Amino acid sequence: MKSLLQALAAAALLALAPAALAQGDAEESQQLYRQALQSISEGRKNDASETLMRVIEQEPLHAGAWLDLALIQCALGHADEAERLFNTIRQRFNPPPGIVELISEARSAGCAHWRPHAQTAFSFGRGVDQNVNQGSSVGTYSASAGGVPVELPLTPEFLPQHDQYTAVTADYLSDLTPNGTTGYLQFQSRRYDRLGLYNSSSLFAGVDTPWRFGRWTLHGSATLGLITLGTQLYQRQTQVQARLGPPLPLPGSMQFNLTAGLTHVEYLTLSNFNSNTGEIRGQFSYRLDDDSASASVARLADRAGSARPGGNREGWAASAQWRRRLFGETSGELAYTAQHWRSSSAYSPGFLDQVRDQTTQVLRLTLNYPLSNTQSLQLEARQVRNKENISIFQYNDRQLQLSWQWQGL
C-alpha cells in the first residue's frame, strides 16, 4: 500500500511542476526517473536515492523525484535529511492536502532507523490426486530376456493409485539490506489420506540480491533445499541463478529477462541418480492493472553425477502464463509448461535397450476469490501428461485442490 501511495503522490506532484527543460533533457530526466521507480519497486533504496538525486540535479522542479527521495531518506532512517526535503517540498511546490497528509504520516511514523519489510503467507488446502504414484498409463511393458522380446504385466503398485490429500504451505520473505537484498523461506507439505508412502515435504531457504549497471539490471540468487518422501530424506538441492535484464526498446510494459542457472540434485535413497543441470532461459513478460502474461523458452543440459541409467540428458523447456481479472475482484490464471529430455544412451542395456525420450506437459487453471485484504480462496485444476518411448514410464495425472490462503503484510 505504501508504494502505491508513493506512486500516486509522485503523479500528483508531477502535475504541479512546469516544463523547464528542453525536449532532449526532459526525456533523459524521465528515463532516469523511470529507473528510480524500478529501483524502488525492487527494494533497492540506496540505488533509487542516488538516481533521484541525479534527476533533481537535471530537473530541479521534478516534484515527484523530490517526494520519492524524501520518503526513501525517511525509510533509510536519515531523519534530518528527510525533514529538510519535506520542508523544501512544502515551500517550493505548495502540495495539495493529500500530499501534505502523506508527509505527515511519514513524519508521525518516524525516520529513526531503517526497518526491514517482511511478508508472511500461509495456505491450507484439500485436494484429490488421480495418480499419486505416477503409475504407468499402460498395463504391460516390453523388455528383453536373453535377446528375446517379452511382454510383461505390471503389478498393481506400478499402476495409477488414487487418493485425497491435505496440503500446507508457508512462506516468509524479508529485506536483509536497504538496497534490495532479500532472504526467504518456503515450506510445503502434502499428506495423503491412505497412501502415506508418498507423503512429501520440502523446505527451501535462499537469498536474492539485485544490481544495476546503467540501464542493465541483474538479480543473483542462491537456494538450498531439502525434500522428504514418506518418512525419509529424499533429496538435497542447491541452486544458483543470475537473471539479466537488458535495456531493449520493447513496446509498452513488456520486459525481457535472460536467466542462467545451475542446479545440483543429490538423491539420498537412490544410487547413481545425482545430477547437475544447467539452464539458459529467455522470458518475455508484461503487466497491466487487470492483465499480465509471460512466455519463456529454455535450453537444458543435465550431467549425471555417476553411472545413471541413460547417462547424460539434453533437453528444452517452454512455458506460458496468463493472469486476468475476470469479474469483481475474482482473478483467473491459465498456465502451460512443456519439458523435453533425451538421454544419451540406453536406459538399461540388455533389459530396456531404448534411449529414453520424454516429454512432460502440464496444464494448470486457477481461480482466486479474495475474502479480505489478507485472505482468499483458490481453486486449482492441474493436468499432467508424460509421454515416453519406454512405455513403463508413461503416465497421466489430474489433480483438483481448494485452498484457503492468508498473507500478512
Side-chain angles (χ1 to χ4, degrees):
M1 179 62 72
K2 191 170 183 180
S3 61
L4 176 60
L5 287 174
Q6 290 183 14
L8 292 175
L13 278 176
L14 277 171
L16 301 176
L21 298 179
Q23 181 67 26
D25 293 338
E27 290 179 357
E28 181 181 354
S29 177
Q30 284 301 95
Q31 178 63 39
L32 281 174
Y33 187 54
R34 284 191 290 269
Q35 292 180 17
L37 293 180
Q38 183 176 352
S39 296
I40 293 173
S41 69
E42 295 174 350
R44 293 183 288 109
K45 294 182 175 64
N46 289 336
D47 289 351
S49 180
E50 293 176 3
T51 305
L52 289 168
M53 290 179 183
R54 292 173 58 193
V55 174
I56 291 172
E57 289 177 359
Q58 291 188 6
E59 191 175 350
L61 294 180
H62 196 305
W66 280 93
L67 178 62
D68 287 330
L69 180 60
L71 292 173
I72 289 174
Q73 291 300 312
C74 185
L76 289 172
H78 304 156
D80 292 342
E81 178 62 13
E83 186 62 27
R84 183 187 71 80
L85 293 167
F86 286 144
N87 288 332
T88 300
I89 292 169
R90 299 196 64 169
Q91 295 169 8
R92 183 172 298 184
F93 299 105
N94 189 26
I99 306 305
V100 173
E101 181 180 356
L102 179 62
I103 292 174
S104 298
E105 289 178 358
R107 283 169 164 166
S108 300
C111 307
H113 57 83
W114 172 73
R115 294 182 294 272
H117 176 68
Q119 290 183 320
T120 304
F122 174 83
S123 74
F124 175 86
R126 284 287 295 171
V128 57
D129 190 337
Q130 292 191 337
N131 193 352
V132 174
N133 60 324
Q134 297 182 357
S136 176
S137 58
V138 297
T140 62
Y141 70 99
S142 300
S144 176
V148 179
V150 295
E151 199 78 12
L152 302 175
L154 293 178
T155 55
E157 61 265 29
F158 292 101
L159 297 175
Q161 299 185 47
H162 170 280
D163 202 359
Q164 299 180 35
Y165 63 87
T166 299
V168 175
T169 67
D171 297 271
Y172 178 76
L173 175 70
S174 178
D175 295 333
L176 298 180
T177 71
N179 207 38
T181 300
T182 58
Y184 51 88
L185 289 171
Q186 298 174 337
F187 172 78
Q188 294 184 352
S189 178
R190 179 178 288 197
R191 292 292 181 267
Y192 290 96
D193 293 353
R194 296 182 297 105
L195 302 172
L197 180 65
Y198 299 100
N199 290 345
S200 63
S201 297
S202 64
L203 177 64
F204 286 85
V207 61
D208 180 279
T209 188
W211 293 277
R212 173 175 285 277
F213 306 96
R215 296 174 59 194
W216 293 71
T217 61
L218 177 65
H219 275 258
S221 63
T223 305
L224 299 175
L226 299 173
I227 298 175
T228 65
L229 182 63
T231 59
Q232 294 182 300
L233 185 59
Y234 178 63
Q235 271 187 13
R236 277 198 293 256
Q237 293 188 12
T238 306
Q239 182 183 70
V240 290
Q241 279 191 336
R243 188 176 79 248
L244 182 67
L248 300 178
L250 299 175
S253 58
M254 184 174 290
Q255 293 183 335
F256 173 77
N257 290 302
L258 186 64
T259 301
L262 180 62
T263 303
H264 172 72
V265 178
E266 181 181 359
Y267 290 84
L268 303 178
T269 60
L270 299 172
S271 300
N272 302 327
F273 275 82
N274 294 352
S275 68
N276 298 286
T277 303
E279 171 186 337
I280 297 180
R281 179 181 300 269
Q283 177 174 320
F284 285 94
S285 61
Y286 82 89
R287 181 181 297 275
L288 302 175
D289 291 339
D290 297 329
D291 204 14
S292 63
S294 65
S296 69
V297 62
R299 185 77 173 92
L300 308 173
D302 180 4
R303 296 295 175 258
S306 55
R308 183 177 63 185
N312 296 331
R313 302 188 300 175
E314 302 290 335
W316 55 264
S319 67
Q321 182 178 8
W322 179 37
R323 182 180 179 88
R324 183 175 179 82
R325 182 178 296 178
L326 300 176
F327 49 86
E329 295 300 317
T330 301
S331 61
E333 182 177 314
L334 181 64
Y336 170 80
T337 62
Q339 182 171 282
H340 175 79
W341 286 113
R342 180 172 176 82
S343 298
S344 60
S345 59
Y347 188 80
S348 179
F351 183 66
L352 295 174
D353 292 319
Q354 299 101 315
V355 174
R356 190 175 182 185
D357 197 301
Q358 172 191 18
T359 300
T360 307
Q361 300 177 77
V362 180
L363 182 65
R364 178 172 58 86
L365 176 63
T366 304
L367 294 175
N368 189 282
Y369 176 74
L371 302 173
S372 67
N373 289 336
T374 59
Q375 300 182 59
S376 63
L377 288 177
Q378 178 175 285
L379 180 65
E380 178 181 282
R382 184 187 298 261
Q383 179 174 290
V384 182
R385 291 188 179 277
N386 185 68
K387 296 182 179 181
E388 306 224 13
N389 62 331
I390 302 178
S391 60
I392 190 175
F393 295 135
Q394 283 192 169
Y395 70 90
N396 298 320
D397 190 17
R398 289 194 297 271
Q399 300 174 21
L400 184 66
Q401 179 176 311
L402 178 64
S403 303
W404 168 80
Q405 299 182 334
W406 173 85
Q407 183 169 348
L409 301 176

